[in-house]
Amino acid sequence: MEKIRKKERQKERRQYKEALKREHRYGAGTAIGWERLDNTAHLFPVIAGEDMSNVYRIFVVLNEEVKKEILQQALNIVLPKFDGFNVRLRRGVFWYYFEENGKPAPAVREENTYPCRYIVQNQNRSYLFRVSYYKNRINLEVFHVLTDGMGGINFLKELTYQYLRIAHPLLQKKTGDLLSVDTSLNREDSFLKNYRKSHVKGYKTQKAFLLKGEKLRAGEFGVIHGIMSVEALKKVSHRYDASINEYLVASFIYSIYTESMRGAQRKYPIRAAVPVNLRPFFHSVTTKNFFVMVSAEFLPVKEQYTFSEVLKITKQSLQEQITREHLENLFSYNVSNEKNLMARAVPLFIKNMAIRYVYTKAALANTTTVTNIGNVSVADDYMPYIQMFGAFLAMSKGQPLKGTICSYGDKLIFTFSSVLADSSIQRGFFRRMSEDGLKVAVESNGVYYD
């Protein structure tokens, strides 16, 4: 068995070295190294395309207008310090892999299109992220193969710090020009490090209630932000004996139930996929992907439910799954499939067909996704310059509406991203907040004003 493993590793290394030689031969960059994708990242190159970009956005709103030249200068300085962003994606015989890019940083642009578009590598200097700006907002859009939301925040914060230091020379004198002590450059594959032999499949594969309806015009993408006080939200959540995350996920599920199911009994459950950041559970600071999905599930078995009832069911569903043991089983099952000797020896094009099949089946098992970036903190010296952080997701198969939670200081933003023309679920969500006494400032990108 060990001989087979050794032979396979030697074969993969030969293939990667040949790829590097080809790059040098054709003068397509200064690549000097390669890196394996983490377990979750293997999925994204297979399923990504114009209709499902797998690109997410994280943004920061400053207290001043963004200057393009300074932002480009900041990106040029920061990018070489982050190996995890300074890469391009390559296709091997058995797996996709990263290769050092070596080209100049991608061009910073003023935003003039809809967000979260598919990133075409050869139109972006082979990079898998883009940086744009609009008025006082800096946008970072990341192809999920690079990293998850925590890795994205890690990079955006340093980009923002560098921008502010250049824009304010006195700040630079005060802070110096080094990376923050809180910034991680760790590239450990925490899935492999914490993997335990497992044969337990923990993901739901039964079909969920799916949202349907008229879509926005081709290429359009609707974004609605609800901005509220963290302290006020804590008080309301505590009244229900729930966390902020449980309260917001339940509110989303309840609005789907009241606005789309119309309160009827249904054959399929509303199931919200909730990504869980694994770093706190396994003491990791990796900047690679390190998360798994759990599902908050609500199946109506009677005619009418109150919000309190839906929240109680949602809370129980999440708490039963968010335990170290269960989370470990979820990713260990995935890693065990990757480590399977038979699977590893299968050519990539065959793996891709299997991955697409499994993904399609799993995608229809969720109605939506609600991801929580958490509370973003910044170094004290930069706080006076920063107004808020936010984030949102692109669409995926079977999920035309998603939600993202992000907070900074006392401001929490719940952002809906959607390709549905109808916004009644979003309105129902904010109405639910209002009924609980929360003051919510609602903003959008204007798609629903037409």
Side-chain angles (χ1 to χ4, degrees):
M1 190 67 77
E2 184 57 37
K3 285 183 179 179
I4 296 174
R5 288 196 189 98
K6 187 175 180 182
K7 197 171 182 180
E8 186 184 334
R9 285 195 297 268
Q10 289 172 341
K11 189 182 289 185
E12 284 189 5
R13 282 187 174 276
R14 281 199 303 274
Q15 177 241 312
Y16 288 133
K17 286 176 181 177
E18 284 302 313
L20 294 180
K21 286 177 184 176
R22 284 196 299 272
E23 283 301 308
H24 289 301
R25 191 180 304 139
Y26 295 111
T30 56
I32 57 172
W34 64 272
E35 182 181 78
R36 298 177 191 274
L37 272 60
D38 62 74
N39 180 261
T40 296
H42 288 303
L43 169 69
F44 300 116
V46 180
I47 63 173
E50 293 289 348
D51 296 330
M52 191 165 62
S53 68
N54 284 279
V55 170
Y56 64 84
R57 171 180 287 194
I58 299 176
F59 62 89
V60 58
V61 179
L62 305 181
N63 289 317
E64 60 192 64
E65 291 245 336
V66 175
K67 293 182 173 62
K68 179 180 179 179
E69 296 76 15
I70 296 178
L71 184 57
Q72 184 70 64
Q73 189 181 345
L75 180 60
N76 294 345
I77 293 170
V78 168
L79 179 57
K81 300 176 182 179
F82 283 80
D83 292 343
F85 278 77
N86 193 16
V87 294
R88 61 181 136 194
L89 185 67
R90 306 293 285 174
R91 183 184 178 120
V93 175
F94 299 105
W95 300 105
Y96 288 96
Y97 62 97
F98 290 133
E99 184 178 82
E100 185 177 340
N101 192 321
K103 294 181 181 178
V108 167
R109 293 184 172 87
E110 183 175 16
E111 184 175 18
N112 59 6
T113 60
Y114 290 104
C116 298
R117 292 168 298 114
Y118 180 60
I119 296 177
V120 181
Q121 280 197 86
N122 60 16
Q123 295 175 8
N124 194 48
R125 295 179 183 167
S126 301
Y127 286 100
L128 300 165
F129 72 94
R130 63 169 72 95
V131 175
S132 64
Y133 68 97
Y134 181 73
K135 293 185 178 179
N136 59 337
R137 188 182 69 231
I138 298 172
N139 308 309
L140 172 67
E141 295 190 339
V142 182
F143 183 25
H144 223 316
V145 71
L146 281 184
T147 184
D148 54 23
M150 299 310 297
I153 284 287
N154 192 58
F155 183 79
L156 178 59
K157 282 167 61 174
E158 281 299 338
L159 177 61
T160 305
Y161 291 168
Q162 186 66 58
Y163 174 89
L164 291 171
R165 288 196 293 266
I166 298 171
H168 302 277
L170 289 178
L171 178 63
Q172 186 166 21
K173 282 185 179 180
K174 184 179 179 182
T175 63
D177 215 20
L178 299 175
L179 294 178
S180 167
V181 293
D182 296 326
T183 296
S184 174
L185 298 177
N186 185 289
R187 297 295 293 159
E188 167 191 278
D189 188 334
S190 292
F191 287 116
L192 285 177
K193 180 182 178 182
N194 295 285
Y195 155 77
R196 300 289 180 270
K197 286 189 177 180
S198 171
H199 299 285
V200 180
K201 185 174 80 168
Y203 289 103
K204 304 278 187 179
T205 53
Q206 301 90 347
K207 188 177 177 182
F209 174 74
L210 300 180
L211 296 171
K212 296 179 180 177
E214 182 186 348
K215 300 283 180 69
L216 294 168
R217 291 187 289 263
E220 289 188 336
F221 189 84
V223 179
I224 299 178
H225 306 291
I227 305 165
M228 59 200 90
S229 161
V230 172
E231 280 306 310
L233 196 51
K234 276 182 183 175
K235 290 176 183 176
V236 170
S237 302
H238 290 168
R239 283 209 311 260
Y240 289 100
D241 190 29
S243 68
I244 287 177
N245 193 59
E246 290 163 349
Y247 173 80
L248 292 173
V249 173
S251 296
F252 191 4
I253 289 175
Y254 185 72
S255 1
I256 294 173
Y257 167 65
T258 56
E259 303 299 326
S260 191
M261 269 190 171
R262 308 296 182 194
Q265 291 173 266
R266 290 283 175 167
K267 180 180 179 182
Y268 301 115
I270 298 172
R271 198 177 286 127
V274 178
V276 177
N277 174 22
L278 296 170
R279 293 169 182 81
F281 292 90
F282 297 92
H283 309 293
S284 170
V285 291
T286 185
T287 57
K288 289 192 172 189
N289 287 295
F290 194 40
F291 71 97
V292 293
M293 295 283 198
V294 299
S295 294
E297 183 174 311
F298 167 63
L299 176 64
V301 293
K302 62 179 185 178
E303 279 298 317
Q304 293 294 331
Y305 284 82
T306 65
F307 172 67
S308 294
E309 289 175 316
V310 172
L311 176 53
K312 185 178 179 181
I313 293 167
T314 302
K315 175 183 169 182
Q316 182 179 351
S317 177
L318 288 173
Q319 289 185 353
E320 286 175 353
Q321 296 173 76
I322 304 178
T323 66
R324 180 186 165 108
E325 182 181 4
H326 180 67
L327 298 173
E328 186 178 88
N329 283 338
L330 288 178
F331 72 77
S332 290
Y333 174 77
N334 292 340
V335 174
S336 66
N337 289 333
E338 180 188 342
K339 290 173 72 69
N340 182 285
L341 285 177
M342 293 291 289
R344 290 177 69 179
V346 172
L348 183 60
F349 77 94
I350 297 177
K351 281 194 185 89
N352 287 352
M353 289 190 289
I355 289 171
R356 285 192 198 100
Y357 172 78
V358 172
Y359 171 76
T360 299
K361 193 173 178 183
L364 300 180
N366 288 296
T367 310
T368 186
T369 296
V370 186
T371 187
N372 191 341
I373 300 296
N375 182 265
V376 180
S377 60
V378 300
D380 291 348
D381 291 322
Y382 301 95
M383 289 176 67
Y385 302 92
I386 297 173
Q387 194 179 127
M388 68 174 75
F389 283 85
F392 52 88
L393 305 171
M395 298 302 95
S396 56
K397 192 175 185 69
Q399 298 184 37
L401 173 65
K402 294 185 179 183
T404 305
I405 305 163
C406 185
S407 63
Y408 169 72
D410 191 48
K411 283 184 179 178
L412 181 142
I413 309 181
F414 190 104
T415 301
F416 288 101
S417 47
S418 178
V419 290
L420 292 175
D422 182 22
S423 60
S424 58
I425 291 173
Q426 295 94 311
R427 291 196 303 272
F429 176 88
F430 295 126
R431 190 166 55 246
R432 166 100 285 287
M433 308 278 105
S434 180
E435 288 169 1
D436 276 332
L438 288 165
K439 293 180 181 178
V440 184
V442 179
E443 300 175 356
S444 88
N445 66 341
V447 167
Y448 298 103
Y449 297 157
D450 294 342

PDB file of all heavy atoms in Angstrom, residues 12-23:
ATOM      1  N   GLU A  12       2.423  12.636  -9.389  1.00  0.00           N
ATOM      2  CA  GLU A  12       1.850  13.981  -9.291  1.00  0.00           C
ATOM      3  C   GLU A  12       2.946  15.044  -9.330  1.00  0.00           C
ATOM      4  O   GLU A  12       2.812  16.069  -9.995  1.00  0.00           O
ATOM      5  CB  GLU A  12       1.035  14.125  -8.001  1.00  0.00           C
ATOM      6  CG  GLU A  12      -0.306  13.435  -8.059  1.00  0.00           C
ATOM      7  CD  GLU A  12      -1.182  13.780  -6.868  1.00  0.00           C
ATOM      8  OE1 GLU A  12      -0.772  14.625  -6.052  1.00  0.00           O
ATOM      9  OE2 GLU A  12      -2.265  13.200  -6.766  1.00  0.00           O
ATOM     10  N   ARG A  13       4.050  14.795  -8.609  1.00  0.00           N
ATOM     11  CA  ARG A  13       5.144  15.772  -8.594  1.00  0.00           C
ATOM     12  C   ARG A  13       5.753  15.953  -9.987  1.00  0.00           C
ATOM     13  O   ARG A  13       6.089  17.072 -10.398  1.00  0.00           O
ATOM     14  CB  ARG A  13       6.223  15.349  -7.597  1.00  0.00           C
ATOM     15  CG  ARG A  13       5.846  15.639  -6.156  1.00  0.00           C
ATOM     16  CD  ARG A  13       6.996  15.355  -5.221  1.00  0.00           C
ATOM     17  NE  ARG A  13       6.670  15.761  -3.870  1.00  0.00           N
ATOM     18  CZ  ARG A  13       6.801  16.994  -3.413  1.00  0.00           C
ATOM     19  NH1 ARG A  13       7.261  17.946  -4.205  1.00  0.00           N
ATOM     20  NH2 ARG A  13       6.482  17.298  -2.165  1.00  0.00           N
ATOM     21  N   ARG A  14       5.907  14.845 -10.721  1.00  0.00           N
ATOM     22  CA  ARG A  14       6.443  14.932 -12.082  1.00  0.00           C
ATOM     23  C   ARG A  14       5.544  15.789 -12.959  1.00  0.00           C
ATOM     24  O   ARG A  14       6.001  16.617 -13.740  1.00  0.00           O
ATOM     25  CB  ARG A  14       6.582  13.533 -12.700  1.00  0.00           C
ATOM     26  CG  ARG A  14       7.807  12.768 -12.241  1.00  0.00           C
ATOM     27  CD  ARG A  14       8.134  11.637 -13.206  1.00  0.00           C
ATOM     28  NE  ARG A  14       7.030  10.713 -13.391  1.00  0.00           N
ATOM     29  CZ  ARG A  14       6.789   9.673 -12.605  1.00  0.00           C
ATOM     30  NH1 ARG A  14       7.599   9.409 -11.574  1.00  0.00           N
ATOM     31  NH2 ARG A  14       5.773   8.869 -12.837  1.00  0.00           N
ATOM     32  N   GLN A  15       4.237  15.577 -12.795  1.00  0.00           N
ATOM     33  CA  GLN A  15       3.264  16.320 -13.586  1.00  0.00           C
ATOM     34  C   GLN A  15       3.320  17.815 -13.262  1.00  0.00           C
ATOM     35  O   GLN A  15       3.294  18.669 -14.155  1.00  0.00           O
ATOM     36  CB  GLN A  15       1.866  15.748 -13.320  1.00  0.00           C
ATOM     37  CG  GLN A  15       0.754  16.486 -14.025  1.00  0.00           C
ATOM     38  CD  GLN A  15      -0.197  17.067 -13.019  1.00  0.00           C
ATOM     39  OE1 GLN A  15      -0.622  16.391 -12.096  1.00  0.00           O
ATOM     40  NE2 GLN A  15      -0.533  18.316 -13.208  1.00  0.00           N
ATOM     41  N   TYR A  16       3.424  18.163 -11.966  1.00  0.00           N
ATOM     42  CA  TYR A  16       3.497  19.563 -11.578  1.00  0.00           C
ATOM     43  C   TYR A  16       4.780  20.212 -12.111  1.00  0.00           C
ATOM     44  O   TYR A  16       4.775  21.343 -12.584  1.00  0.00           O
ATOM     45  CB  TYR A  16       3.462  19.706 -10.052  1.00  0.00           C
ATOM     46  CG  TYR A  16       2.117  19.427  -9.437  1.00  0.00           C
ATOM     47  CD1 TYR A  16       2.011  18.600  -8.324  1.00  0.00           C
ATOM     48  CD2 TYR A  16       0.957  19.994  -9.953  1.00  0.00           C
ATOM     49  CE1 TYR A  16       0.775  18.340  -7.746  1.00  0.00           C
ATOM     50  CE2 TYR A  16      -0.277  19.738  -9.379  1.00  0.00           C
ATOM     51  CZ  TYR A  16      -0.375  18.913  -8.278  1.00  0.00           C
ATOM     52  OH  TYR A  16      -1.590  18.668  -7.708  1.00  0.00           O
ATOM     53  N   LYS A  17       5.904  19.481 -12.022  1.00  0.00           N
ATOM     54  CA  LYS A  17       7.170  20.024 -12.511  1.00  0.00           C
ATOM     55  C   LYS A  17       7.113  20.280 -14.012  1.00  0.00           C
ATOM     56  O   LYS A  17       7.642  21.277 -14.521  1.00  0.00           O
ATOM     57  CB  LYS A  17       8.317  19.069 -12.178  1.00  0.00           C
ATOM     58  CG  LYS A  17       8.696  19.085 -10.690  1.00  0.00           C
ATOM     59  CD  LYS A  17       9.777  18.051 -10.394  1.00  0.00           C
ATOM     60  CE  LYS A  17      10.128  18.058  -8.912  1.00  0.00           C
ATOM     61  NZ  LYS A  17      11.125  17.018  -8.581  1.00  0.00           N
ATOM     62  N   GLU A  18       6.464  19.392 -14.754  1.00  0.00           N
ATOM     63  CA  GLU A  18       6.317  19.582 -16.192  1.00  0.00           C
ATOM     64  C   GLU A  18       5.503  20.831 -16.489  1.00  0.00           C
ATOM     65  O   GLU A  18       5.788  21.575 -17.428  1.00  0.00           O
ATOM     66  CB  GLU A  18       5.636  18.351 -16.829  1.00  0.00           C
ATOM     67  CG  GLU A  18       6.554  17.150 -16.981  1.00  0.00           C
ATOM     68  CD  GLU A  18       7.777  17.494 -17.829  1.00  0.00           C
ATOM     69  OE1 GLU A  18       7.618  18.109 -18.900  1.00  0.00           O
ATOM     70  OE2 GLU A  18       8.902  17.163 -17.406  1.00  0.00           O
ATOM     71  N   ALA A  19       4.466  21.058 -15.665  1.00  0.00           N
ATOM     72  CA  ALA A  19       3.639  22.258 -15.854  1.00  0.00           C
ATOM     73  C   ALA A  19       4.469  23.521 -15.655  1.00  0.00           C
ATOM     74  O   ALA A  19       4.348  24.486 -16.408  1.00  0.00           O
ATOM     75  CB  ALA A  19       2.461  22.244 -14.885  1.00  0.00           C
ATOM     76  N   LEU A  20       5.334  23.500 -14.644  1.00  0.00           N
ATOM     77  CA  LEU A  20       6.185  24.656 -14.378  1.00  0.00           C
ATOM     78  C   LEU A  20       7.150  24.896 -15.543  1.00  0.00           C
ATOM     79  O   LEU A  20       7.376  26.030 -15.958  1.00  0.00           O
ATOM     80  CB  LEU A  20       6.967  24.453 -13.081  1.00  0.00           C
ATOM     81  CG  LEU A  20       6.141  24.408 -11.794  1.00  0.00           C
ATOM     82  CD1 LEU A  20       7.070  24.195 -10.594  1.00  0.00           C
ATOM     83  CD2 LEU A  20       5.358  25.693 -11.611  1.00  0.00           C
ATOM     84  N   LYS A  21       7.711  23.815 -16.072  1.00  0.00           N
ATOM     85  CA  LYS A  21       8.635  23.950 -17.204  1.00  0.00           C
ATOM     86  C   LYS A  21       7.932  24.558 -18.410  1.00  0.00           C
ATOM     87  O   LYS A  21       8.483  25.396 -19.119  1.00  0.00           O
ATOM     88  CB  LYS A  21       9.205  22.570 -17.582  1.00  0.00           C
ATOM     89  CG  LYS A  21      10.232  22.041 -16.598  1.00  0.00           C
ATOM     90  CD  LYS A  21      10.680  20.645 -17.019  1.00  0.00           C
ATOM     91  CE  LYS A  21      11.644  20.058 -15.987  1.00  0.00           C
ATOM     92  NZ  LYS A  21      12.015  18.672 -16.337  1.00  0.00           N
ATOM     93  N   ARG A  22       6.683  24.135 -18.660  1.00  0.00           N
ATOM     94  CA  ARG A  22       5.930  24.680 -19.785  1.00  0.00           C
ATOM     95  C   ARG A  22       5.733  26.181 -19.631  1.00  0.00           C
ATOM     96  O   ARG A  22       5.826  26.942 -20.589  1.00  0.00           O
ATOM     97  CB  ARG A  22       4.578  23.968 -19.914  1.00  0.00           C
ATOM     98  CG  ARG A  22       4.664  22.582 -20.513  1.00  0.00           C
ATOM     99  CD  ARG A  22       3.292  22.103 -20.960  1.00  0.00           C
ATOM    100  NE  ARG A  22       2.345  22.019 -19.860  1.00  0.00           N
ATOM    101  CZ  ARG A  22       2.206  20.944 -19.092  1.00  0.00           C
ATOM    102  NH1 ARG A  22       2.961  19.883 -19.302  1.00  0.00           N
ATOM    103  NH2 ARG A  22       1.319  20.933 -18.118  1.00  0.00           N
ATOM    104  N   GLU A  23       5.445  26.611 -18.387  1.00  0.00           N
ATOM    105  CA  GLU A  23       5.237  28.037 -18.143  1.00  0.00           C
ATOM    106  C   GLU A  23       6.493  28.826 -18.495  1.00  0.00           C
ATOM    107  O   GLU A  23       6.438  29.862 -19.143  1.00  0.00           O
ATOM    108  CB  GLU A  23       4.884  28.286 -16.674  1.00  0.00           C
ATOM    109  CG  GLU A  23       3.461  27.927 -16.333  1.00  0.00           C
ATOM    110  CD  GLU A  23       2.467  28.722 -17.176  1.00  0.00           C
ATOM    111  OE1 GLU A  23       2.560  29.964 -17.222  1.00  0.00           O
ATOM    112  OE2 GLU A  23       1.629  28.093 -17.821  1.00  0.00           O
TER     113      GLU A  23
END
